[in-house]
Short mmCIF file of all heavy atoms in Angstrom, two decimals:
data_model
loop_
_atom_site.label_atom_id
_atom_site.label_comp_id
_atom_site.label_asym_id
_atom_site.label_seq_id
_atom_site.Cartn_x
_atom_site.Cartn_y
_atom_site.Cartn_z
N LEU U 295 -40.12 -26.54 -50.65
CA LEU U 295 -39.11 -26.40 -51.69
C LEU U 295 -39.33 -27.43 -52.80
O LEU U 295 -39.24 -27.12 -53.98
CB LEU U 295 -37.71 -26.59 -51.09
CG LEU U 295 -37.05 -25.31 -50.62
CD1 LEU U 295 -35.81 -25.63 -49.81
CD2 LEU U 295 -36.68 -24.45 -51.82
N LYS U 382 -23.69 -17.00 -65.26
CA LYS U 382 -24.59 -17.48 -64.22
C LYS U 382 -26.05 -17.19 -64.53
O LYS U 382 -26.94 -17.93 -64.14
CB LYS U 382 -24.21 -16.82 -62.89
CG LYS U 382 -24.64 -17.64 -61.69
CD LYS U 382 -24.44 -16.89 -60.39
CE LYS U 382 -22.98 -16.61 -60.10
NZ LYS U 382 -22.81 -15.80 -58.89
N PRO U 386 -30.95 -19.36 -66.32
CA PRO U 386 -32.22 -19.02 -65.67
C PRO U 386 -33.06 -18.05 -66.49
O PRO U 386 -34.29 -18.19 -66.53
CB PRO U 386 -31.78 -18.38 -64.35
CG PRO U 386 -30.45 -18.97 -64.07
CD PRO U 386 -29.82 -19.24 -65.40
N ASP U 389 -34.91 -19.98 -69.05
CA ASP U 389 -35.92 -20.85 -68.45
C ASP U 389 -37.16 -20.10 -68.02
O ASP U 389 -38.28 -20.57 -68.19
CB ASP U 389 -35.34 -21.60 -67.24
CG ASP U 389 -34.45 -22.76 -67.67
OD1 ASP U 389 -34.75 -23.34 -68.73
OD2 ASP U 389 -33.49 -23.07 -66.96
N PHE U 400 -21.83 -18.26 -76.13
CA PHE U 400 -22.33 -19.45 -75.44
C PHE U 400 -21.79 -20.68 -76.17
O PHE U 400 -22.22 -21.00 -77.28
CB PHE U 400 -23.87 -19.43 -75.48
CG PHE U 400 -24.54 -20.10 -74.33
CD1 PHE U 400 -25.91 -19.94 -74.14
CD2 PHE U 400 -23.83 -20.87 -73.43
CE1 PHE U 400 -26.55 -20.54 -73.08
CE2 PHE U 400 -24.47 -21.48 -72.36
CZ PHE U 400 -25.83 -21.31 -72.19
N GLU U 405 -23.62 -31.64 -72.85
CA GLU U 405 -24.31 -31.51 -71.57
C GLU U 405 -25.34 -30.38 -71.62
O GLU U 405 -26.47 -30.52 -71.16
CB GLU U 405 -23.26 -31.20 -70.52
CG GLU U 405 -23.54 -31.75 -69.16
CD GLU U 405 -22.33 -31.58 -68.26
OE1 GLU U 405 -21.48 -30.70 -68.54
OE2 GLU U 405 -22.21 -32.33 -67.29
N ARG U 406 -24.95 -29.26 -72.21
CA ARG U 406 -25.84 -28.10 -72.26
C ARG U 406 -27.01 -28.32 -73.21
O ARG U 406 -28.08 -27.75 -73.03
CB ARG U 406 -25.06 -26.86 -72.68
CG ARG U 406 -24.13 -26.38 -71.60
CD ARG U 406 -23.26 -25.26 -72.08
NE ARG U 406 -22.38 -24.80 -71.01
CZ ARG U 406 -21.46 -23.88 -71.18
NH1 ARG U 406 -21.30 -23.31 -72.35
NH2 ARG U 406 -20.69 -23.52 -70.17
N GLN U 408 -28.78 -30.75 -73.42
CA GLN U 408 -29.88 -31.42 -72.72
C GLN U 408 -30.82 -30.42 -72.07
O GLN U 408 -31.97 -30.73 -71.80
CB GLN U 408 -29.32 -32.34 -71.65
CG GLN U 408 -28.58 -33.51 -72.25
CD GLN U 408 -28.29 -34.56 -71.19
OE1 GLN U 408 -27.49 -34.33 -70.30
NE2 GLN U 408 -28.95 -35.69 -71.29
N SER U 409 -30.33 -29.21 -71.82
CA SER U 409 -31.16 -28.21 -71.16
C SER U 409 -31.72 -27.16 -72.12
O SER U 409 -32.77 -26.59 -71.87
CB SER U 409 -30.36 -27.48 -70.08
OG SER U 409 -29.86 -28.37 -69.13
N TYR U 410 -31.01 -26.89 -73.21
CA TYR U 410 -31.43 -25.82 -74.13
C TYR U 410 -31.24 -26.25 -75.59
O TYR U 410 -30.47 -27.15 -75.89
CB TYR U 410 -30.61 -24.55 -73.87
CG TYR U 410 -30.66 -24.13 -72.44
CD1 TYR U 410 -29.62 -24.39 -71.57
CD2 TYR U 410 -31.81 -23.52 -71.93
CE1 TYR U 410 -29.69 -24.05 -70.23
CE2 TYR U 410 -31.90 -23.18 -70.59
CZ TYR U 410 -30.84 -23.45 -69.75
OH TYR U 410 -30.93 -23.12 -68.43
N GLN U 446 -16.38 -18.68 -65.09
CA GLN U 446 -17.29 -19.72 -64.61
C GLN U 446 -18.16 -20.23 -65.73
O GLN U 446 -19.29 -19.84 -65.89
CB GLN U 446 -18.19 -19.14 -63.52
CG GLN U 446 -17.61 -19.24 -62.15
CD GLN U 446 -18.43 -18.45 -61.18
OE1 GLN U 446 -19.41 -17.83 -61.56
NE2 GLN U 446 -18.04 -18.47 -59.93
N GLU U 469 -11.78 -19.95 -60.77
CA GLU U 469 -12.89 -19.49 -61.60
C GLU U 469 -13.47 -18.18 -61.10
O GLU U 469 -13.66 -18.00 -59.91
CB GLU U 469 -14.00 -20.55 -61.60
CG GLU U 469 -13.59 -21.81 -62.31
CD GLU U 469 -14.64 -22.90 -62.15
OE1 GLU U 469 -15.83 -22.56 -62.11
OE2 GLU U 469 -14.25 -24.06 -62.06
N GLU U 475 -13.05 -9.41 -63.96
CA GLU U 475 -12.52 -9.90 -62.68
C GLU U 475 -11.27 -10.75 -62.90
O GLU U 475 -10.33 -10.71 -62.11
CB GLU U 475 -13.57 -10.74 -61.95
CG GLU U 475 -14.62 -9.92 -61.23
CD GLU U 475 -15.71 -10.81 -60.65
OE1 GLU U 475 -15.44 -11.47 -59.64
OE2 GLU U 475 -16.82 -10.87 -61.22
N ALA U 479 -7.50 -10.04 -61.54
CA ALA U 479 -6.71 -11.05 -60.81
C ALA U 479 -5.34 -11.25 -61.47
O ALA U 479 -4.35 -11.48 -60.79
CB ALA U 479 -7.47 -12.36 -60.75
N ASP U 481 -3.73 -8.87 -63.11
CA ASP U 481 -2.98 -7.65 -62.78
C ASP U 481 -2.42 -7.72 -61.36
O ASP U 481 -1.30 -7.28 -61.10
CB ASP U 481 -3.87 -6.41 -62.91
CG ASP U 481 -4.17 -6.10 -64.37
OD1 ASP U 481 -3.42 -6.58 -65.23
OD2 ASP U 481 -5.15 -5.38 -64.62
N SER U 482 -3.23 -8.24 -60.43
CA SER U 482 -2.78 -8.26 -59.04
C SER U 482 -1.87 -9.45 -58.75
O SER U 482 -1.36 -9.59 -57.65
CB SER U 482 -3.98 -8.26 -58.09
OG SER U 482 -4.72 -9.45 -58.23
N GLY U 483 -1.69 -10.31 -59.75
CA GLY U 483 -0.77 -11.44 -59.58
C GLY U 483 -1.40 -12.62 -58.89
O GLY U 483 -0.72 -13.56 -58.50
N ARG U 484 -2.72 -12.59 -58.70
CA ARG U 484 -3.42 -13.72 -58.11
C ARG U 484 -3.33 -14.94 -59.02
O ARG U 484 -3.35 -16.07 -58.56
CB ARG U 484 -4.89 -13.36 -57.90
CG ARG U 484 -5.13 -12.47 -56.72
CD ARG U 484 -5.17 -13.29 -55.47
NE ARG U 484 -5.09 -12.44 -54.30
CZ ARG U 484 -4.84 -12.90 -53.08
NH1 ARG U 484 -4.64 -14.19 -52.89
NH2 ARG U 484 -4.76 -12.10 -52.06
N LYS I 75 -30.86 -33.83 -63.78
CA LYS I 75 -29.98 -32.81 -63.20
C LYS I 75 -29.71 -33.12 -61.72
O LYS I 75 -28.62 -32.85 -61.22
CB LYS I 75 -30.61 -31.43 -63.36
CG LYS I 75 -30.79 -31.06 -64.82
CD LYS I 75 -31.37 -29.69 -65.05
CE LYS I 75 -31.51 -29.45 -66.54
NZ LYS I 75 -32.12 -28.17 -66.87
N TYR I 146 -8.23 -9.03 -51.44
CA TYR I 146 -7.85 -10.01 -52.46
C TYR I 146 -7.10 -9.38 -53.63
O TYR I 146 -6.05 -9.87 -54.04
CB TYR I 146 -9.10 -10.72 -52.96
CG TYR I 146 -8.81 -11.90 -53.87
CD1 TYR I 146 -8.46 -13.13 -53.33
CD2 TYR I 146 -8.88 -11.78 -55.25
CE1 TYR I 146 -8.20 -14.21 -54.14
CE2 TYR I 146 -8.61 -12.85 -56.08
CZ TYR I 146 -8.27 -14.06 -55.52
OH TYR I 146 -8.00 -15.14 -56.33
N HIS I 147 -7.65 -8.29 -54.17
CA HIS I 147 -7.05 -7.68 -55.36
C HIS I 147 -6.18 -6.48 -55.03
O HIS I 147 -5.29 -6.12 -55.81
CB HIS I 147 -8.14 -7.21 -56.33
CG HIS I 147 -8.85 -8.34 -57.02
ND1 HIS I 147 -8.20 -9.29 -57.76
CD2 HIS I 147 -10.16 -8.67 -57.06
CE1 HIS I 147 -9.08 -10.15 -58.24
NE2 HIS I 147 -10.27 -9.80 -57.82
N PRO I 150 -2.24 -7.25 -53.01
CA PRO I 150 -1.12 -7.73 -53.83
C PRO I 150 -0.34 -6.59 -54.50
O PRO I 150 0.87 -6.70 -54.70
CB PRO I 150 -1.79 -8.63 -54.86
CG PRO I 150 -2.98 -9.14 -54.17
CD PRO I 150 -3.46 -7.99 -53.31
N HIS I 151 -1.04 -5.48 -54.84
CA HIS I 151 -0.34 -4.35 -55.47
C HIS I 151 0.59 -3.67 -54.48
O HIS I 151 1.48 -2.92 -54.87
CB HIS I 151 -1.36 -3.35 -56.02
CG HIS I 151 -2.07 -3.85 -57.24
ND1 HIS I 151 -1.45 -3.97 -58.47
CD2 HIS I 151 -3.33 -4.31 -57.43
CE1 HIS I 151 -2.30 -4.47 -59.35
NE2 HIS I 151 -3.45 -4.69 -58.74
N MET I 155 0.54 -10.70 -50.55
CA MET I 155 -0.31 -11.68 -51.24
C MET I 155 -0.83 -12.68 -50.21
O MET I 155 -0.15 -13.65 -49.87
CB MET I 155 0.52 -12.38 -52.32
CG MET I 155 -0.23 -13.44 -53.09
SD MET I 155 -1.26 -12.76 -54.38
CE MET I 155 -0.06 -12.41 -55.64
N LEU I 156 -2.02 -12.43 -49.70
CA LEU I 156 -2.61 -13.35 -48.72
C LEU I 156 -3.32 -14.49 -49.45
O LEU I 156 -3.99 -14.25 -50.45
CB LEU I 156 -3.63 -12.62 -47.84
CG LEU I 156 -3.11 -11.44 -47.02
CD1 LEU I 156 -4.28 -10.69 -46.40
CD2 LEU I 156 -2.17 -11.94 -45.94
N MET I 236 -16.99 -14.70 -55.01
CA MET I 236 -16.61 -13.70 -56.01
C MET I 236 -15.12 -13.67 -56.27
O MET I 236 -14.68 -13.20 -57.31
CB MET I 236 -17.06 -12.31 -55.55
CG MET I 236 -18.54 -12.17 -55.54
SD MET I 236 -19.00 -10.46 -55.27
CE MET I 236 -18.48 -9.74 -56.82
N ALA I 238 -13.12 -16.46 -56.06
CA ALA I 238 -12.69 -17.85 -56.17
C ALA I 238 -12.27 -18.40 -54.82
O ALA I 238 -11.19 -18.95 -54.66
CB ALA I 238 -11.57 -17.99 -57.19
N TYR I 244 -18.87 -20.94 -54.04
CA TYR I 244 -17.98 -20.97 -55.21
C TYR I 244 -18.19 -22.26 -55.99
O TYR I 244 -18.32 -22.24 -57.22
CB TYR I 244 -16.52 -20.86 -54.74
CG TYR I 244 -15.50 -21.11 -55.83
CD1 TYR I 244 -15.29 -20.19 -56.85
CD2 TYR I 244 -14.75 -22.28 -55.83
CE1 TYR I 244 -14.35 -20.42 -57.84
CE2 TYR I 244 -13.80 -22.52 -56.82
CZ TYR I 244 -13.60 -21.58 -57.82
OH TYR I 244 -12.68 -21.81 -58.80
N ASP I 247 -21.56 -22.30 -57.77
CA ASP I 247 -21.48 -21.49 -58.99
C ASP I 247 -20.70 -22.23 -60.07
O ASP I 247 -21.11 -22.31 -61.22
CB ASP I 247 -20.75 -20.17 -58.71
CG ASP I 247 -21.65 -19.15 -58.07
OD1 ASP I 247 -22.87 -19.35 -58.09
OD2 ASP I 247 -21.13 -18.15 -57.55
N SER I 248 -19.56 -22.74 -59.67
CA SER I 248 -18.66 -23.39 -60.62
C SER I 248 -19.34 -24.59 -61.27
O SER I 248 -19.35 -24.74 -62.49
CB SER I 248 -17.39 -23.83 -59.89
OG SER I 248 -16.70 -24.79 -60.65
N SER I 251 -22.49 -23.52 -63.43
CA SER I 251 -22.30 -22.71 -64.64
C SER I 251 -21.64 -23.53 -65.75
O SER I 251 -21.71 -23.17 -66.91
CB SER I 251 -21.49 -21.45 -64.35
OG SER I 251 -20.20 -21.78 -63.94
N THR I 252 -21.04 -24.65 -65.38
CA THR I 252 -20.47 -25.52 -66.40
C THR I 252 -21.58 -26.27 -67.13
O THR I 252 -21.67 -26.25 -68.35
CB THR I 252 -19.52 -26.55 -65.76
OG1 THR I 252 -18.61 -25.86 -64.95
CG2 THR I 252 -18.78 -27.34 -66.83
N ASN I 253 -22.42 -26.95 -66.35
CA ASN I 253 -23.44 -27.79 -66.98
C ASN I 253 -24.81 -27.12 -67.02
O ASN I 253 -25.75 -27.65 -67.61
CB ASN I 253 -23.54 -29.13 -66.24
CG ASN I 253 -23.66 -28.94 -64.74
OD1 ASN I 253 -24.18 -27.93 -64.30
ND2 ASN I 253 -23.20 -29.91 -63.99
N LEU I 254 -24.93 -25.96 -66.37
CA LEU I 254 -26.17 -25.19 -66.32
C LEU I 254 -27.29 -25.91 -65.57
O LEU I 254 -28.45 -25.62 -65.78
CB LEU I 254 -26.63 -24.81 -67.73
CG LEU I 254 -25.65 -23.94 -68.50
CD1 LEU I 254 -26.11 -23.69 -69.91
CD2 LEU I 254 -25.46 -22.61 -67.78
N TYR I 255 -26.94 -26.83 -64.68
CA TYR I 255 -27.96 -27.47 -63.84
C TYR I 255 -28.11 -26.65 -62.56
O TYR I 255 -27.92 -27.13 -61.46
CB TYR I 255 -27.53 -28.90 -63.47
CG TYR I 255 -27.29 -29.81 -64.66
CD1 TYR I 255 -26.58 -31.00 -64.51
CD2 TYR I 255 -27.79 -29.50 -65.92
CE1 TYR I 255 -26.36 -31.85 -65.58
CE2 TYR I 255 -27.58 -30.33 -67.00
CZ TYR I 255 -26.86 -31.50 -66.83
OH TYR I 255 -26.64 -32.34 -67.89
N TYR I 256 -28.48 -25.37 -62.75
CA TYR I 256 -28.47 -24.49 -61.60
C TYR I 256 -29.58 -24.77 -60.60
O TYR I 256 -29.46 -24.44 -59.43
CB TYR I 256 -28.53 -23.03 -62.06
CG TYR I 256 -29.77 -22.73 -62.87
CD1 TYR I 256 -30.94 -22.34 -62.24
CD2 TYR I 256 -29.78 -22.86 -64.26
CE1 TYR I 256 -32.08 -22.08 -62.97
CE2 TYR I 256 -30.92 -22.61 -64.99
CZ TYR I 256 -32.07 -22.22 -64.33
OH TYR I 256 -33.20 -21.99 -65.06
#
Side-chain angles (χ1 to χ4, degrees):
Chain U
L295 269 169
K382 205 188 295 175
D389 283 329
F400 209 169
E405 213 170 22
R406 288 173 180 176
Q408 292 192 292
S409 302
Y410 306 101
Q446 272 170 359
E469 292 173 35
E475 281 175 74
D481 289 341
S482 66
R484 283 278 167 194
Chain I
K75 298 181 180 177
Y146 188 81
H147 289 303
H151 288 288
M155 179 81 78
L156 300 170
M236 292 190 70
Y244 170 72
D247 280 346
S248 162
S251 64
T252 309
N253 50 28
L254 299 176
Y255 302 163
Y256 60 88

